[in-house]
Amino acid sequence: MNYWLLKSEPDAFSIDDLRAMPGKKDHWDGIRNYQARNMMRDDMKKGDMAFFYHSSCAVPGIVGTCEVVKEAYDDFTALDKKSKYFDPKATKDNPRWCMVDVKYKKKFKSIVSLDALKQNKKLESMTLLKKGNRLSIMPVSAKEWKIIMAMAGA
DNA sequence: GCCAACGTTGGC
DNA sequence: GCCAACGTTGGC
């Protein structure tokens, strides 16, 4: 199984929002980057675990974990003219984009901030910390997962 | 709100 | 297929 990191702006969708969903799960829609889509489509499997990351906020960082409960399927928001994720080039036959379903697992007692991650020497090579990386979905190694879970006291 | 670092688009 | 212009992300 694989580990992942999923970014979300807490103003739009936070870990508390996920926890409040029926069944504590929701579809992870709005991915509009090919690299991120390909990873989601090809490599994200049911049972994979992911960190929930809050971006573009006062304290960016990892706030908890969730689990992939449904593998990639068509992202219908690409076909919905009213959606902010509407893509005029998407068609029914070729929706271009896909999404997975994730289920809330755990919220950390305190956030593992981006700052704390940067200060951990063992995480130097982590994708998230590499300069210029703006992917909203990225792989996390089993080793990184362990280290971060320990930092969270989880 | 600024800006660096991308990714995407489209003219040629 | 090149590359300039434009759009987006996301930390600060």
Side-chain angles (χ1 to χ4, degrees):
Chain A
M1 78 167 233
N2 294 311
Y3 295 103
W4 304 94
L5 181 140
L6 301 173
K7 282 187 195 171
S8 184
E9 297 186 19
D11 289 344
F13 191 74
S14 71
I15 192 161
D16 294 320
D17 293 327
L18 179 61
R19 183 166 53 182
M21 294 298 288
K24 297 186 180 182
K25 61 181 180 180
D26 200 9
H27 46 263
W28 201 266
D29 60 13
I31 299 300
R32 294 295 178 266
N33 170 285
Y34 288 108
Q35 242 184 301
R37 181 203 65 182
N38 293 347
M39 281 193 284
M40 190 163 64
R41 186 190 57 197
D42 303 334
D43 299 326
M44 264 199 179
K45 301 295 173 201
K46 201 171 167 181
D48 283 1
M49 294 294 291
F51 285 130
F52 200 114
Y53 181 90
H54 282 178
S55 67
S56 297
C57 54
V59 184
I62 297 168
V63 290
T65 59
C66 55
E67 180 184 348
V68 177
V69 291
K70 185 173 178 183
E71 291 173 21
Y73 58 105
D74 293 347
D75 182 346
F76 53 78
T77 64
L79 298 167
D80 178 3
K81 275 189 182 150
K82 278 175 264 169
S83 169
K84 67 169 179 166
Y85 297 124
F86 175 67
D87 180 350
K89 287 184 181 164
T91 64
K92 254 194 169 162
D93 291 334
N94 182 20
R96 291 182 106 199
W97 307 109
C98 61
M99 57 189 177
V100 297
D101 285 356
V102 296
K103 184 174 184 182
Y104 168 88
K105 274 309 212 186
K106 170 179 283 193
K107 184 179 178 181
F108 295 155
K109 286 197 183 96
S110 58
I111 186 170
V112 178
S113 68
L114 178 60
D115 203 44
L117 293 168
K118 279 181 185 166
Q119 280 172 27
N120 191 329
K121 284 242 161 61
K122 288 184 228 157
L123 296 173
E124 265 173 356
S125 58
M126 196 179 171
T127 312
L128 176 72
L129 305 178
K130 286 199 185 132
K131 201 177 175 186
N133 201 313
R134 301 172 312 161
L135 281 179
S136 54
I137 294 179
M138 49 183 87
V140 172
S141 74
K143 205 171 148 194
E144 289 160 355
W145 181 273
K146 263 194 177 172
I147 293 167
I148 294 164
M149 288 302 273
M151 287 170 78

